[in-house]
Coordinates of all heavy atoms in Angstrom, one line a residue:
M9 N 313.8 155.5 101.9 CA 312.5 155.5 102.7 C 312.6 156.5 103.8 O 311.6 157.3 104.0 CB 312.4 154.1 103.3 CG 311.0 153.9 103.9 SD 309.7 153.9 102.7 CE 308.2 153.8 103.7
R10 N 313.7 156.6 104.5 CA 313.8 157.6 105.6 C 313.7 159.0 105.0 O 313.1 159.9 105.6 CB 315.1 157.4 106.3 CG 314.9 157.5 107.8 CD 316.3 157.4 108.6 NE 317.0 156.1 108.3 CZ 318.3 156.0 108.3 NH1 319.1 157.0 108.6 NH2 318.9 154.8 108.1
M11 N 314.4 159.2 103.9 CA 314.4 160.5 103.3 C 313.0 160.9 102.9 O 312.6 162.1 103.0 CB 315.3 160.5 102.0 CG 316.6 161.2 102.3 SD 317.6 161.2 100.8 CE 316.8 162.5 99.9
K12 N 312.2 160.0 102.3 CA 310.8 160.3 101.9 C 310.0 160.8 103.1 O 309.3 161.8 102.9 CB 310.2 159.0 101.3 CG 310.2 159.0 99.8 CD 309.4 157.8 99.4 CE 309.5 157.6 97.8 NZ 309.0 156.3 97.4
V13 N 310.1 160.1 104.2 CA 309.3 160.5 105.3 C 309.7 161.9 105.8 O 308.9 162.8 106.1 CB 309.5 159.5 106.5 CG1 308.9 160.0 107.8 CG2 309.0 158.2 106.1
K14 N 311.0 162.2 105.8 CA 311.5 163.5 106.2 C 310.9 164.6 105.3 O 310.5 165.6 105.7 CB 313.0 163.5 106.1 CG 313.7 164.3 107.2 CD 315.2 164.1 107.1 CE 315.9 165.2 107.8 NZ 317.4 165.0 107.6
R15 N 310.9 164.3 104.0 CA 310.4 165.3 103.0 C 309.0 165.5 103.2 O 308.5 166.7 103.1 CB 310.7 164.8 101.6 CG 311.1 165.9 100.7 CD 311.7 165.3 99.4 NE 310.8 165.7 98.3 CZ 310.7 165.0 97.2 NH1 311.4 163.8 97.1 NH2 310.0 165.4 96.2
W16 N 308.2 164.5 103.5 CA 306.8 164.6 103.6 C 306.5 165.5 104.8 O 305.6 166.4 104.8 CB 306.1 163.2 103.8 CG 304.7 163.3 103.8 CD1 303.8 163.3 102.8 CD2 303.8 163.5 105.0 NE1 302.5 163.4 103.2 CE2 302.5 163.5 104.5 CE3 304.1 163.6 106.4 CZ2 301.4 163.7 105.4 CZ3 303.0 163.8 107.2 CH2 301.7 163.8 106.7
N17 N 307.3 165.3 105.9 CA 307.1 166.1 107.1 C 307.3 167.6 106.8 O 306.6 168.5 107.3 CB 308.0 165.7 108.2 CG 307.5 164.5 108.9 OD1 306.3 164.1 108.8 ND2 308.4 163.8 109.6
A18 N 308.3 167.9 106.0 CA 308.6 169.3 105.7 C 307.5 169.9 104.9 O 307.1 171.0 105.1 CB 309.9 169.3 104.9
I19 N 306.9 169.1 104.0 CA 305.8 169.7 103.2 C 304.6 169.9 104.0 O 303.9 170.9 103.9 CB 305.5 168.7 102.0 CG1 306.7 168.7 101.0 CG2 304.2 169.1 101.3 CD1 306.6 167.6 100.0
A20 N 304.3 169.0 104.9 CA 303.2 169.1 105.8 C 303.3 170.4 106.7 O 302.4 171.1 106.9 CB 303.0 167.9 106.7
M21 N 304.5 170.6 107.1 CA 304.8 171.8 107.9 C 304.6 173.1 107.1 O 304.0 174.0 107.6 CB 306.2 171.8 108.5 CG 306.2 171.2 109.9 SD 307.9 171.1 110.5 CE 308.3 172.8 110.7
W22 N 305.0 173.0 105.9 CA 304.9 174.2 105.0 C 303.4 174.5 104.8 O 303.0 175.6 104.9 CB 305.5 173.9 103.7 CG 305.5 175.1 102.8 CD1 306.3 176.2 102.8 CD2 304.5 175.4 101.8 NE1 305.9 177.1 101.9 CE2 304.7 176.7 101.3 CE3 303.3 174.7 101.3 CZ2 304.0 177.2 100.3 CZ3 302.6 175.3 100.3 CH2 302.9 176.5 99.8
F23 N 302.6 173.5 104.6 CA 301.2 173.7 104.4 C 300.6 174.3 105.7 O 299.7 175.2 105.7 CB 300.4 172.4 104.1 CG 300.4 172.1 102.6 CD1 301.0 170.9 102.1 CD2 299.9 173.0 101.7 CE1 301.0 170.7 100.8 CE2 299.9 172.7 100.4 CZ 300.5 171.6 99.9
W24 N 301.0 173.8 106.8 CA 300.5 174.2 108.1 C 300.8 175.7 108.3 O 299.9 176.5 108.6 CB 301.1 173.4 109.2 CG 300.6 173.9 110.6 CD1 301.2 174.7 111.4 CD2 299.3 173.5 111.1 NE1 300.4 174.9 112.5 CE2 299.3 174.2 112.4 CE3 298.3 172.7 110.7 CZ2 298.1 174.1 113.2 CZ3 297.2 172.6 111.6 CH2 297.1 173.2 112.8
V25 N 302.0 176.1 108.0 CA 302.4 177.5 108.1 C 301.7 178.4 107.1 O 301.3 179.5 107.4 CB 304.0 177.6 108.0 CG1 304.4 179.1 108.0 CG2 304.6 176.9 109.2
A26 N 301.6 177.9 105.9 CA 301.1 178.7 104.8 C 299.6 178.9 104.9 O 299.0 179.8 104.4 CB 301.4 178.1 103.5
N27 N 298.9 178.0 105.6 CA 297.5 178.0 105.7 C 297.0 179.2 106.6 O 297.6 179.6 107.5 CB 296.9 176.7 106.3 CG 296.2 175.9 105.2 OD1 295.2 176.4 104.7 ND2 296.7 174.7 104.9
D28 N 295.8 179.6 106.2 CA 295.1 180.6 107.0 C 294.8 180.0 108.4 O 294.6 178.8 108.5 CB 293.9 181.0 106.3 CG 293.4 182.3 106.7 OD1 293.6 182.7 107.9 OD2 292.7 183.0 105.9
E29 N 294.8 180.8 109.4 CA 294.4 180.2 110.7 C 292.9 180.2 110.9 O 292.4 179.8 112.0 CB 295.1 181.0 111.8 CG 296.6 180.7 111.9 CD 297.3 181.4 113.0 OE1 296.6 182.1 113.8 OE2 298.5 181.3 113.1
N30 N 292.2 180.6 109.9 CA 290.7 180.6 110.0 C 290.1 179.7 109.0 O 290.6 179.5 107.9 CB 290.1 182.0 109.8 CG 290.6 183.0 110.9 OD1 290.8 182.6 112.0 ND2 290.8 184.2 110.5
C31 N 289.0 179.1 109.4 CA 288.3 178.2 108.5 C 287.8 179.0 107.3 O 287.2 180.1 107.4 CB 287.1 177.6 109.3 SG 286.0 176.7 108.2
G32 N 288.1 178.5 106.1 CA 287.7 179.2 104.9 C 286.2 179.3 104.6 O 285.7 180.0 103.8
I33 N 285.4 178.6 105.4 CA 284.0 178.5 105.2 C 283.3 179.5 106.2 O 282.5 180.3 105.8 CB 283.5 177.1 105.3 CG1 284.1 176.3 104.2 CG2 281.9 177.1 105.2 CD1 283.8 174.8 104.3
C34 N 283.5 179.3 107.5 CA 282.8 180.1 108.5 C 283.7 181.2 109.0 O 283.2 182.1 109.7 CB 282.4 179.2 109.6 SG 283.8 178.6 110.6
R35 N 285.0 181.2 108.6 CA 285.9 182.3 109.0 C 286.2 182.3 110.5 O 286.7 183.3 111.0 CB 285.4 183.7 108.6 CG 285.3 183.8 107.1 CD 286.6 183.9 106.4 NE 286.5 183.7 105.0 CZ 287.6 183.5 104.2 NH1 288.8 183.5 104.7 NH2 287.4 183.3 102.9
M36 N 285.8 181.3 111.2 CA 286.2 181.2 112.6 C 287.5 180.5 112.7 O 288.0 179.8 111.9 CB 285.1 180.3 113.4 CG 283.7 180.8 113.3 SD 283.4 182.3 114.1 CE 283.1 181.7 115.8
A37 N 288.2 180.8 113.8 CA 289.6 180.3 114.0 C 289.6 178.8 114.2 O 288.6 178.3 114.8 CB 290.3 181.0 115.2
F38 N 290.6 178.1 113.7 CA 290.7 176.7 113.9 C 290.9 176.3 115.3 O 290.6 175.1 115.7 CB 291.8 176.1 113.0 CG 291.4 176.0 111.6 CD1 292.2 176.6 110.6 CD2 290.3 175.4 111.2 CE1 291.9 176.5 109.3 CE2 289.9 175.3 109.9 CZ 290.7 175.8 108.9
N39 N 291.4 177.1 116.2 CA 291.6 176.8 117.6 C 290.3 177.0 118.3 O 290.2 176.8 119.5 CB 292.8 177.4 118.2 CG 292.7 178.9 118.2 OD1 291.6 179.5 117.8 ND2 293.8 179.6 118.5
G40 N 289.2 177.5 117.6 CA 287.9 177.6 118.2 C 287.0 176.6 117.5 O 287.5 175.5 117.0
C41 N 285.8 176.8 117.4 CA 284.9 175.8 116.8 C 284.0 176.6 115.8 O 284.0 177.8 115.7 CB 284.0 175.1 117.8 SG 283.0 176.2 118.9
C42 N 283.2 175.8 115.0 CA 282.3 176.4 114.0 C 281.2 177.1 114.7 O 280.9 176.9 115.9 CB 281.8 175.3 113.1 SG 280.5 174.3 113.8
P43 N 280.4 177.9 114.0 CA 279.3 178.7 114.6 C 278.2 177.8 115.2 O 277.5 178.3 116.0 CB 278.8 179.5 113.5 CG 279.8 179.5 112.4 CD 280.6 178.2 112.6
D44 N 278.1 176.5 114.8 CA 277.1 175.7 115.3 C 277.5 175.0 116.7 O 276.6 174.4 117.3 CB 276.8 174.5 114.3 CG 276.0 175.1 113.1 OD1 275.5 176.2 113.2 OD2 276.0 174.4 112.1
C45 N 278.7 175.1 117.0 CA 279.2 174.5 118.3 C 279.5 175.6 119.3 O 280.0 176.6 118.9 CB 280.4 173.6 118.0 SG 280.0 172.2 116.9
K46 N 279.3 175.2 120.5 CA 279.6 176.2 121.6 C 281.0 176.0 122.2 O 281.6 176.9 122.7 CB 278.5 176.2 122.6 CG 277.2 176.7 122.1 CD 276.2 176.8 123.2 CE 274.9 177.5 122.7 NZ 274.2 176.8 121.6
V47 N 281.4 174.7 122.2 CA 282.7 174.4 122.9 C 283.7 173.8 121.9 O 283.4 172.8 121.2 CB 282.4 173.4 124.0 CG1 283.7 173.2 124.9 CG2 281.3 173.8 124.9
P48 N 284.8 174.5 121.7 CA 285.8 173.9 120.9 C 286.4 172.6 121.4 O 286.4 172.4 122.6 CB 286.9 175.0 120.8 CG 286.6 175.9 121.9 CD 285.2 175.7 122.4
G49 N 286.9 171.8 120.6 CA 287.5 170.5 121.0 C 287.1 169.3 120.2 O 286.8 169.5 119.0
D50 N 287.0 168.2 120.8 CA 286.7 166.9 120.1 C 285.4 166.9 119.4 O 285.2 166.2 118.4 CB 286.8 165.7 121.0 CG 288.3 165.5 121.5 OD1 289.2 166.2 120.9 OD2 288.5 164.8 122.5
D51 N 284.4 167.7 119.9 CA 283.1 167.6 119.2 C 283.1 168.4 117.9 O 282.1 168.3 117.2 CB 282.1 168.2 120.2 CG 281.8 167.3 121.4 OD1 282.2 166.1 121.2 OD2 281.3 167.8 122.4
C52 N 284.1 169.2 117.7 CA 284.1 170.0 116.4 C 285.5 169.8 115.8 O 286.3 170.8 115.8 CB 283.8 171.4 116.7 SG 283.4 172.4 115.2
P53 N 285.8 168.7 115.3 CA 287.2 168.4 114.8 C 287.4 169.0 113.4 O 286.4 169.6 112.8 CB 287.3 166.9 114.7 CG 285.9 166.4 114.6 CD 285.0 167.5 115.2
L54 N 288.6 169.0 112.9 CA 288.9 169.5 111.5 C 288.9 168.3 110.6 O 289.3 167.2 111.0 CB 290.2 170.2 111.5 CG 290.4 171.3 112.6 CD1 291.8 171.9 112.5 CD2 289.3 172.4 112.4
V55 N 288.6 168.6 109.3 CA 288.8 167.5 108.3 C 289.7 168.1 107.2 O 289.6 169.2 106.9 CB 287.4 167.1 107.6 CG1 286.7 166.2 108.5 CG2 286.6 168.3 107.3
W56 N 290.6 167.2 106.8 CA 291.5 167.5 105.7 C 291.0 167.0 104.4 O 290.4 166.0 104.3 CB 292.9 166.8 106.0 CG 293.9 167.7 106.7 CD1 294.9 168.3 106.2 CD2 293.9 168.0 108.1 NE1 295.6 169.0 107.1 CE2 295.0 168.8 108.3 CE3 293.1 167.7 109.2 CZ2 295.3 169.3 109.6 CZ3 293.3 168.2 110.4 CH2 294.5 169.0 110.6
G57 N 291.2 167.8 103.4 CA 290.9 167.4 102.0 C 292.2 166.9 101.3 O 293.3 167.2 101.8
Q58 N 292.0 166.2 100.2 CA 293.2 165.8 99.5 C 294.0 166.9 98.9 O 295.1 166.8 98.5 CB 292.8 164.8 98.4 CG 292.4 163.4 99.0 CD 292.0 162.4 98.0 OE1 291.8 162.7 96.8 NE2 291.9 161.2 98.4
C59 N 293.4 168.1 98.8 CA 294.2 169.3 98.4 C 294.9 169.9 99.5 O 295.6 170.9 99.3 CB 293.2 170.3 97.8 SG 292.0 170.9 98.9
S60 N 294.9 169.3 100.7 CA 295.6 169.8 101.9 C 295.0 171.0 102.5 O 295.6 171.6 103.4 CB 297.1 170.1 101.6 OG 297.7 168.9 101.2
H61 N 293.8 171.4 102.1 CA 293.1 172.4 102.9 C 292.3 171.7 104.0 O 291.9 170.6 103.8 CB 292.2 173.2 102.0 CG 292.9 174.2 101.1 ND1 292.9 174.1 99.7 CD2 293.8 175.2 101.4 CE1 293.7 175.0 99.2 NE2 294.3 175.7 100.2
F62 N 292.0 172.4 105.0 CA 291.2 171.8 106.1 C 290.2 172.8 106.6 O 290.4 174.0 106.5 CB 292.1 171.2 107.2 CG 293.1 172.1 107.7 CD1 292.9 172.9 108.8 CD2 294.4 172.2 107.1 CE1 293.9 173.7 109.3 CE2 295.4 173.0 107.6 CZ 295.1 173.8 108.7
F63 N 289.1 172.2 107.1 CA 288.0 173.0 107.6 C 287.4 172.3 108.8 O 287.7 171.2 109.1 CB 286.9 173.1 106.5 CG 287.5 173.7 105.2 CD1 287.9 172.8 104.2 CD2 287.6 175.0 105.0 CE1 288.5 173.3 103.0 CE2 288.2 175.5 103.8 CZ 288.6 174.7 102.9
H64 N 286.5 173.0 109.5 CA 285.7 172.4 110.5 C 284.9 171.2 109.9 O 284.3 171.4 108.9 CB 284.8 173.4 111.2 CG 285.5 174.5 111.9 ND1 285.4 175.8 111.5 CD2 286.3 174.5 113.0 CE1 286.1 176.5 112.4 NE2 286.7 175.8 113.3
M65 N 284.8 170.2 110.7 CA 284.0 169.0 110.2 C 282.6 169.4 109.9 O 281.9 168.9 109.0 CB 284.0 167.9 111.2 CG 283.5 166.6 110.8 SD 283.4 165.4 112.1 CE 281.8 165.9 112.8
H66 N 282.0 170.4 110.6 CA 280.6 170.7 110.5 C 280.4 171.7 109.3 O 279.3 171.9 108.9 CB 280.0 171.3 111.8 CG 280.1 170.3 112.9 ND1 280.6 170.7 114.2 CD2 279.8 169.0 112.9 CE1 280.5 169.6 114.9 NE2 280.1 168.6 114.2
C67 N 281.5 172.4 108.9 CA 281.3 173.4 107.8 C 281.3 172.8 106.5 O 280.7 173.3 105.6 CB 282.5 174.4 107.9 SG 282.4 175.4 109.4
I68 N 282.1 171.7 106.3 CA 282.2 171.1 104.9 C 280.9 170.6 104.4 O 280.6 171.0 103.3 CB 283.3 170.0 105.0 CG1 284.7 170.6 104.6 CG2 283.0 168.8 104.1 CD1 284.8 171.1 103.2
P69 N 280.1 169.9 105.1 CA 278.8 169.4 104.5 C 277.9 170.6 104.2 O 277.2 170.6 103.2 CB 278.2 168.6 105.6 CG 279.0 168.6 106.8 CD 280.3 169.3 106.4
K70 N 277.9 171.7 105.0 CA 277.1 172.9 104.7 C 277.6 173.5 103.4 O 276.8 173.9 102.6 CB 277.2 173.9 105.8 CG 276.3 173.6 107.0 CD 276.2 174.8 107.9 CE 277.2 174.7 109.0 NZ 277.2 175.9 109.9
W71 N 278.9 173.6 103.2 CA 279.4 174.2 102.0 C 279.1 173.3 100.8 O 278.6 173.8 99.8 CB 281.0 174.3 102.1 CG 281.6 174.5 100.8 CD1 282.3 173.6 100.1 CD2 281.7 175.8 100.1 NE1 282.8 174.2 98.9 CE2 282.4 175.5 98.9 CE3 281.3 177.1 100.3 CZ2 282.7 176.5 98.0 CZ3 281.5 178.0 99.4 CH2 282.2 177.8 98.2
L72 N 279.3 172.0 100.9 CA 279.0 171.1 99.8 C 277.6 171.1 99.4 O 277.2 171.1 98.2 CB 279.5 169.7 100.1 CG 281.0 169.6 100.3 CD1 281.4 168.1 100.7 CD2 281.8 170.0 99.1
N73 N 276.7 171.2 100.4 CA 275.3 171.2 100.1 C 274.8 172.5 99.4 O 273.8 172.5 98.7 CB 274.4 171.0 101.4 CG 274.5 169.6 101.9 OD1 274.8 168.7 101.1 ND2 274.3 169.4 103.2
S74 N 275.6 173.6 99.6 CA 275.2 174.8 99.0 C 275.7 174.9 97.5 O 275.4 175.9 96.8 CB 275.8 176.0 99.8 OG 277.2 176.1 99.6
Q75 N 276.5 173.9 97.1 CA 277.0 173.9 95.7 C 276.1 173.3 94.8 O 275.6 172.2 95.1 CB 278.4 173.2 95.7 CG 279.4 173.8 96.6 CD 279.7 175.3 96.2 OE1 280.1 175.6 95.1 NE2 279.3 176.2 97.1
Q76 N 275.8 173.9 93.7 CA 274.8 173.4 92.7 C 275.5 172.3 91.8 O 274.9 171.4 91.4 CB 274.3 174.5 91.8 CG 273.7 175.7 92.6 CD 272.3 175.4 93.0 OE1 271.5 174.9 92.2 NE2 271.9 175.8 94.2
V77 N 276.7 172.6 91.5 CA 277.4 171.7 90.5 C 278.3 170.7 91.2 O 277.9 170.1 92.2 CB 278.2 172.5 89.5 CG1 277.2 172.9 88.3 CG2 278.8 173.7 90.1
Q78 N 279.6 170.6 90.8 CA 280.4 169.6 91.5 C 280.9 170.2 92.8 O 281.0 171.4 93.0 CB 281.5 169.2 90.5 CG 282.7 170.2 90.6 CD 283.8 169.8 89.5 OE1 283.7 170.2 88.4 NE2 284.7 169.0 90.0
Q79 N 281.3 169.3 93.7 CA 281.8 169.7 95.0 C 283.2 170.0 94.9 O 284.0 169.1 94.5 CB 281.5 168.5 96.0 CG 280.0 168.1 95.9 CD 279.6 167.2 97.0 OE1 280.3 166.3 97.4 NE2 278.4 167.5 97.6
H80 N 283.6 171.2 95.3 CA 285.0 171.6 95.3 C 285.4 172.3 96.5 O 284.5 172.8 97.3 CB 285.2 172.4 94.0 CG 284.4 173.7 94.0 ND1 283.2 173.8 93.4 CD2 284.6 174.9 94.6 CE1 282.7 175.0 93.6 NE2 283.5 175.7 94.3
C81 N 286.7 172.3 96.7 CA 287.2 173.0 97.9 C 287.0 174.5 97.8 O 287.2 175.1 96.7 CB 288.7 172.7 98.0 SG 289.6 173.7 99.2
P82 N 286.5 175.1 98.8 CA 286.2 176.6 98.8 C 287.5 177.4 98.6 O 287.5 178.6 98.3 CB 285.5 176.9 100.1 CG 285.7 175.7 100.9 CD 286.1 174.5 100.1
M83 N 288.7 176.9 98.9 CA 289.9 177.6 98.9 C 290.6 177.5 97.6 O 291.1 178.5 97.1 CB 290.9 177.1 100.0 CG 290.3 177.2 101.4 SD 290.0 178.8 102.0 CE 291.6 179.3 102.5
C84 N 290.7 176.4 97.0 CA 291.5 176.2 95.8 C 290.7 175.7 94.6 O 291.2 175.5 93.5 CB 292.6 175.2 96.0 SG 292.1 173.6 96.4
Q85 N 289.4 175.4 94.8 CA 288.5 175.0 93.7 C 288.8 173.7 93.1 O 288.2 173.3 92.1 CB 288.4 176.0 92.5 CG 288.4 177.5 93.0 CD 287.1 177.8 93.8 OE1 286.0 177.4 93.4 NE2 287.3 178.5 94.9
Q86 N 289.6 172.9 93.8 CA 289.8 171.5 93.3 C 288.7 170.7 93.8 O 288.0 171.1 94.8 CB 291.1 171.0 93.9 CG 292.4 171.5 93.3 CD 293.6 170.8 93.8 OE1 293.8 169.6 93.7 NE2 294.5 171.5 94.5
Q87 N 288.5 169.6 93.2 CA 287.4 168.7 93.6 C 287.7 168.3 95.1 O 288.8 167.9 95.4 CB 287.3 167.5 92.7 CG 286.0 166.7 93.0 CD 285.9 165.5 92.1 OE1 286.8 165.1 91.4 NE2 284.8 164.8 92.2
W88 N 286.6 168.4 95.9 CA 286.8 168.1 97.3 C 286.7 166.6 97.6 O 285.7 165.9 97.2 CB 285.8 168.8 98.2 CG 285.9 168.4 99.6 CD1 285.2 167.5 100.3 CD2 286.9 169.0 100.5 NE1 285.7 167.4 101.6 CE2 286.7 168.3 101.8 CE3 287.9 169.9 100.4 CZ2 287.4 168.6 102.9 CZ3 288.6 170.2 101.6 CH2 288.4 169.6 102.8
K89 N 287.8 166.0 98.2 CA 287.7 164.7 98.7 C 288.3 164.6 100.1 O 289.4 165.2 100.3 CB 288.5 163.7 97.8 CG 287.7 163.3 96.5 CD 288.3 162.0 96.0 CE 287.6 161.5 94.8 NZ 288.1 161.9 93.5
C90 N 287.6 164.0 101.0 CA 288.2 164.0 102.3 C 289.4 163.0 102.4 O 289.4 162.0 101.7 CB 287.1 163.5 103.3 SG 286.1 164.8 103.9
K91 N 290.4 163.4 103.1 CA 291.6 162.6 103.3 C 291.3 161.7 104.5 O 290.9 162.2 105.5 CB 292.7 163.5 103.5 CG 294.1 163.0 103.2 CD 295.1 164.1 103.3 CE 296.5 163.7 103.0 NZ 297.4 164.9 103.1
E92 N 291.6 160.5 104.4 CA 291.3 159.5 105.5 C 292.4 159.7 106.5 O 293.6 159.8 106.2 CB 291.3 158.1 105.0 CG 290.1 157.8 104.2 CD 288.8 158.0 104.9 OE1 288.7 157.6 106.1 OE2 287.8 158.6 104.4
Ligands
ZN963 ZN1 284.3 176.5 109.9
ZN964 ZN1 281.1 172.4 114.9
ZN965 ZN1 291.7 173.1 98.6

């Protein structure tokens, strides 16, 4: 059990390091906010998908609405599902 948790942390860190520091949809930095918001912070949080990519909370619905067919992650083309 303890080992599992340790391993999960290592993977999460790897994803964090490997990820782009900019939102794949609006290309704004994650330490800032999406183009619709003026102040970064709690009003413009990030959402994680099950594929481990993450985006501004306000960018994902815009991206999904622009898709004609199935909803997929803009980075890896896997089906998009929000991670709780
Ligand atoms: Zn964004
Ligand atoms: Zn926003
Ligand atoms: Zn993805």
Side-chain angles (χ1 to χ4, degrees):
M9 192 63 183
R10 221 185 300 152
M11 256 181 76
K12 259 187 190 169
V13 172
K14 214 172 164 187
R15 218 166 115 207
W16 188 87
N17 282 342
I19 292 167
M21 264 176 71
W22 183 83
F23 273 120
W24 180 262
V25 171
N27 248 301
D28 203 332
E29 286 183 2
N30 297 326
C31 173
I33 298 170
C34 69
R35 300 286 164 192
M36 302 290 276
F38 282 126
N39 58 12
C41 57
C42 79
D44 287 345
C45 296
K46 289 185 174 65
V47 188
D50 293 346
D51 288 342
C52 193
L54 306 178
V55 283
W56 265 256
Q58 285 183 348
C59 61
S60 296
H61 288 118
F62 48 94
F63 305 95
H64 295 114
M65 190 186 83
H66 300 134
C67 292
I68 269 293
K70 276 195 273 179
W71 163 261
L72 296 179
N73 287 338
S74 73
Q75 299 302 296
Q76 307 274 318
V77 275
Q78 85 186 86
Q79 305 192 319
H80 59 266
C81 170
M83 303 297 279
C84 66
Q85 316 300 312
Q86 286 185 62
Q87 194 180 3
W88 177 263
K89 278 202 178 95
C90 278
K91 205 171 178 177
E92 291 299 318

